[in-house]
Amino acid sequence: MSYVYTVARIRGMENHLLEPAFFSRLMDSAGIDDALKALGDTSYSQWISGAASFDKAIDSEILATCKELETFVPDKELLDIFRLPYDFHNVKVLLKGLFKVRGGDSEGRRYDLLSKLGTIDTEELKLAIETEEYGFLPYGLTDLLPKCWQLWEQTKNAQSVELLIDDAMFKALLKVAEGLNMPEILYWVKSRIDVENLRSVIRLARMKYESAKALPFLHDGGTIRADDMARLLNEPQETWARILSYSDISSVLSALQDSQDIKLSLSEVSKSLDDYLVRVLENAKYSMDAPANVLLYLLTKESEARNMRVALVCVAGGLDREFGRRLLSNGR
C-alpha cells in the first residue's frame, strides 16, 4: 500500500512543530501567565482556558493530532502502536483506585489521571473494570484483568500488578506490530522493550539489586534478552556499553557514561532513552513512502508535548530552570 500521499501530508504537518529554541524562551517566562501568552501563536492556544488547564490542553493537542492522522493514514494499527500504551496506563489508574477503595479508602479513585489518548473510550473502560465486565475489551485485557485481581488478592502488591500489566502491554504491542508486517515498526517496538528494561536495570543498580532478583522486573521480546539485561547488574556500569556493543542501544549508554548522566537523576536518563526511541525511526525521514513516518511524527509530537510540560511545570512551580533545560528533548 502506497504511503506517498500520507507522508506528503505529514511533511506539511511537520512545518507546524515547535522549534527547540521556543522551549528555551518559554522556560525564561517570568510567570505562568506570561508563558501561556507565549503559546498564543501555537496550536496549543486553542485548548488553553486558564493557567490550571495546560496539562489537559497538551493532551487535547495530541488527541487532535491522532484524529487528524486517522483521516488519511491507511493502516490505523500504526496509530494504535502509539495510543495503545495509554490504554494500559488507564487500566493501571483504574485498578489502583479500586485496590484503594476495597482497602477502605473511599477517595482512592483518581479519574483525573485517566488519559483520553488511548484507543478505548475512558468511560467504557471505567465501566468495564468497575463492573468486571471485560468481554469486549481488546489487547488481551479480557484475560489480563482477572489475573490482576488474582495477583492482588494473593500479594496485595501493586507493583507486581503493574509489572504484569506492562508485560501484557508489550505483548499486545508486539502482536499489533507483527500484524502490520512492517519490519521497522516491529524493530521499534522491540527497542521500546529494550529501553524499558534498561530503565529498570539502572533503577535496580541504584537500589543495589543482584542480577538473580532482577528478572521479575524485566520483559521479554526486545532485541536484547531479558537474561542479558539482568546480567548487567553483575558488572560495573562503565562496562555496560561495551557488553551491549552488539546492540543499537549501546550508543545511548556510551553517551550517558561520557557525560556521567547515568549518575544523575533517572528523569535525565529517561530523557536520553526517549530521545533514542525517536532516533530509531529517523531513517524514515529520507523516504517519501515509509509508513514509519507516521509513528515518527507522533513520537516527535509527543516529545514536543513533553517539552511543553517540562517548561510550563518549571515556570508554574518556580523550579530550577537549568535543570529543566537538561530535561528538554532534542525535538525536531
Side-chain angles (χ1 to χ4, degrees), residues 159-175:
Q159 185 183 46
S160 295
V161 176
E162 282 201 46
L163 289 169
L164 181 63
I165 293 170
D166 285 341
D167 205 52
M169 179 192 74
F170 288 125
K171 285 184 172 66
L173 280 172
L174 285 168
K175 185 175 181 180

Side-chain angles (χ1 to χ4, degrees), residues 132-205:
E132 300 186 24
E133 295 290 340
Y134 314 133
F136 76 92
L137 295 176
Y139 310 132
L141 290 172
T142 301
D143 295 325
L144 172 67
L145 287 162
K147 291 177 182 176
C148 290
W149 277 112
Q150 183 179 21
L151 183 59
W152 171 252
E153 294 297 336
Q154 291 171 348
T155 66
K156 294 296 188 288
N157 187 326
Q159 185 183 46
S160 295
V161 176
E162 282 201 46
L163 289 169
L164 181 63
I165 293 170
D166 285 341
D167 205 52
M169 179 192 74
F170 288 125
K171 285 184 172 66
L173 280 172
L174 285 168
K175 185 175 181 180
V176 174
E178 287 164 355
L180 280 167
N181 195 28
M182 298 175 182
E184 67 276 22
I185 300 300
L186 180 58
Y187 182 76
W188 181 86
V189 172
K190 288 177 174 289
S191 297
R192 175 163 181 163
I193 297 172
D194 291 338
V195 160
E196 187 60 32
N197 284 342
L198 186 54
R199 277 195 184 103
S200 296
V201 167
I202 292 171
R203 191 179 298 113
L204 293 172

Side-chain angles (χ1 to χ4, degrees), residues 88-111 113-114 129-130 145 148-149 152 156-163 165-166:
F88 283 81
H89 160 81
N90 289 340
V91 168
K92 288 182 185 179
V93 169
L94 291 167
L95 281 181
K96 285 196 284 188
L98 287 176
F99 293 161
K100 290 181 179 179
V101 168
R102 295 193 183 184
D105 181 1
S106 60
E107 303 298 323
R109 294 181 176 87
R110 290 294 307 274
Y111 297 142
L113 298 179
L114 294 174
I129 290 179
E130 294 189 346
L145 287 162
C148 290
W149 277 112
W152 171 252
K156 294 296 188 288
N157 187 326
Q159 185 183 46
S160 295
V161 176
E162 282 201 46
L163 289 169
I165 293 170
D166 285 341

